[in-house]
Amino acid sequence: MSHPDFTNPFWSGLATENAPLAIGGKLASRYPAAVIPFGGMPEVRDPACMAAFRDLLSPGEIVYITGDEVATVDGLVEQVYLPGVQMHFAGDPAEAVWSQEAVPLGEAEAQEMVALTDVAFPGYFRPQTWRLGSYYGIRVEGQLIAMAGERVSLPGWKEISAVCTHPDHTGKGYAATLVRHVMAEHRKAGIQSYLHASAANSRAIAIYERLGFTHTRGIIFRGMQLA
């Protein structure tokens, strides 16, 4: 697998499939704060690009970029350094299976989705993240207890994201069920699946590997904030 957009996914998404949501210009761009706290630039080692990115931030907010090495500019500080892994599906297509348990989620369920994801990774899923793609959930006695969906879209690829299960319902295969369901939607649309995970989240990585995902590369997420 050698898709060039994978080396700089957020900038590539903002410059292509997610362009209607992009805020910024040729040197740097970002997603709206109500959608996701991510942005990018064509070259993170270029001070001009980093300065342009700085100018897109609001006081107090943290917006994430990716890069092994990044330029240092006045007025911008790194508050979060998070090693991650990037994975793409390279397994048996039979793993992509629709589930009758999976129900569509969207604007009407936005607050439920934020509440659930805040249990696992607070702050990354926002009230308008649903605008990025299709989301699906599983309910138990009416409560949303698991979900998964799409985040950054690239030409021919879509990222599976927001994969989470409420702690009271883990160990029952809900996450794998929903990932398979999203993969089935991708296969139907003729696109391929990729995803990101924290390098420290060995449990999630093991699930993805069992589903047929393989490591593409390591990736560093950097949370940047105005000084």
Side-chain angles (χ1 to χ4, degrees), residues 25-185:
K26 294 182 178 180
L27 292 181
S29 188
R30 61 168 293 180
Y31 292 89
V35 178
I36 50 173
F38 288 91
M41 61 205 79
E43 179 50 75
V44 293
R45 293 170 295 183
D46 184 344
C49 290
M50 192 64 74
F53 171 74
R54 175 197 60 202
D55 295 341
L56 299 175
L57 273 60
S58 298
E61 74 169 337
I62 295 178
V63 178
Y64 290 80
I65 59 174
T66 62
D68 295 336
E69 299 178 12
V70 299
T72 300
V73 295
D74 291 340
L76 192 65
V77 296
E78 182 178 291
Q79 295 286 16
V80 181
Y81 179 89
L82 178 63
V85 295
Q86 191 177 76
M87 307 179 74
H88 66 279
F89 182 70
D92 184 348
E95 286 290 351
V97 180
W98 279 285
S99 170
Q100 293 185 344
E101 290 184 279
V103 296
L105 303 173
E107 183 176 9
E109 295 78 26
Q111 293 305 318
E112 285 184 284
M113 297 162 76
V114 171
L116 176 58
T117 54
D118 275 353
V119 174
F121 35 82
Y124 290 98
F125 195 95
R126 303 289 176 84
Q128 294 183 31
T129 304
W130 57 268
R131 294 173 61 189
L132 290 172
S134 299
Y135 286 86
Y136 301 92
I138 292 176
R139 293 185 180 276
V140 172
E141 297 181 351
Q143 179 188 2
L144 182 64
I145 55 89
M147 63 175 283
E150 300 168 338
R151 188 168 63 180
V152 175
S153 295
L154 306 172
W157 296 80
K158 284 194 175 183
E159 179 189 17
I160 296 178
S161 184
V163 180
C164 62
T165 304
H166 191 281
D168 293 342
H169 297 273
T170 56
K172 300 176 183 178
Y174 292 134
T177 294
L178 289 169
V179 170
R180 288 189 178 102
H181 187 86
V182 178
M183 289 163 55
E185 291 291 301

